[in-house]
Amino acid sequence: MKTNKNIFNLVLAALFAALIFVLTKFVSVPTAIGYIHPGDAAIYLAASLLPTPYAMAAAGLGGALADLVGGYFPFIPITFVVKVLLALCFTSKKENMINVRNIIAAVVCCGITVFGYFSFEIFYYGTGAFGSMLPNLFQGVISGVLFVIIGFAFDKAKIKNRLVAYN
């Protein structure tokens, strides 16, 4: 039944939004300008499991909520946009979460994170924005590595197949 599938995807997206929020806000390391976190790995996982619109919503809302609660108010719109763009890079249409497309997506997401935030911060902080490039790159790399490790474990445990079968 289509309605049950939509509700299932909505609930799973809400759970991922909450996970993204928690990993972004509470599992973070402060930097000179902001913080680095593993929340993007949860975005990559969500985008590898959920249909694209649901993954985009989870990514944007989870990341933006972390900025809202953390007091980074000027960053809320750019975070929403960057996180939605991250989710757009991945596919959930492959049998396995870890596939060539999604590994390439994780690499592309490093660039989106670095240049997405830099494009905002150069206007907000001026030349101080250059100081955030390395931490943002580090965040992207760590999130990509975590995604591959967790994704392989999920693939080995057939998590995606179980969710699709339940759905």
Side-chain angles (χ1 to χ4, degrees):
M1 190 181 229
K2 183 119 172 109
T3 303
N4 286 345
K5 187 173 190 166
N6 290 341
I7 291 171
F8 180 84
N9 286 331
L10 186 62
V11 169
L12 196 55
L15 289 171
F16 267 108
L19 179 64
I20 292 161
F21 164 71
V22 167
L23 290 175
T24 301
K25 175 67 182 107
F26 298 108
V27 186
S28 60
V29 176
T31 65
I33 292 178
Y35 55 95
I36 56 173
H37 57 81
D40 290 355
I43 291 172
Y44 305 168
L45 291 168
S48 298
L49 286 170
L50 290 166
T52 303
Y54 294 96
M56 290 167 54
L61 293 173
L65 184 60
D67 281 350
L68 176 69
V69 172
Y72 292 95
F73 303 114
F75 282 84
I76 294 171
I78 190 66
T79 292
F80 186 86
V81 169
V82 166
K83 301 312 179 187
V84 165
L85 290 174
L86 298 183
L88 277 172
C89 293
F90 291 83
T91 184
S92 63
K93 295 179 181 171
K94 303 279 187 178
E95 184 177 335
N96 290 325
M97 295 172 65
I98 302 302
N99 55 65
V100 173
R101 158 95 186 252
N102 287 347
I103 290 173
I104 292 170
V107 173
V108 169
C109 285
C110 288
I112 291 172
T113 299
V114 170
F115 294 110
Y117 281 106
F118 179 79
S119 66
F120 170 76
E121 291 168 352
I122 195 71
F123 294 106
Y124 194 72
Y125 293 118
T127 57
F130 287 99
S132 74
M133 291 180 83
L134 191 57
N136 282 334
L137 179 62
F138 182 71
Q139 176 178 304
V141 170
I142 293 300
S143 290
V145 169
L146 287 173
F147 163 69
V148 170
I149 292 168
I150 296 167
F152 269 127
F154 278 19
D155 284 345
K156 191 83 165 159
K158 306 272 189 230
I159 297 294
K160 187 171 184 174
N161 294 341
R162 292 176 189 197
L163 286 175
V164 170
Y166 180 76
N167 190 354

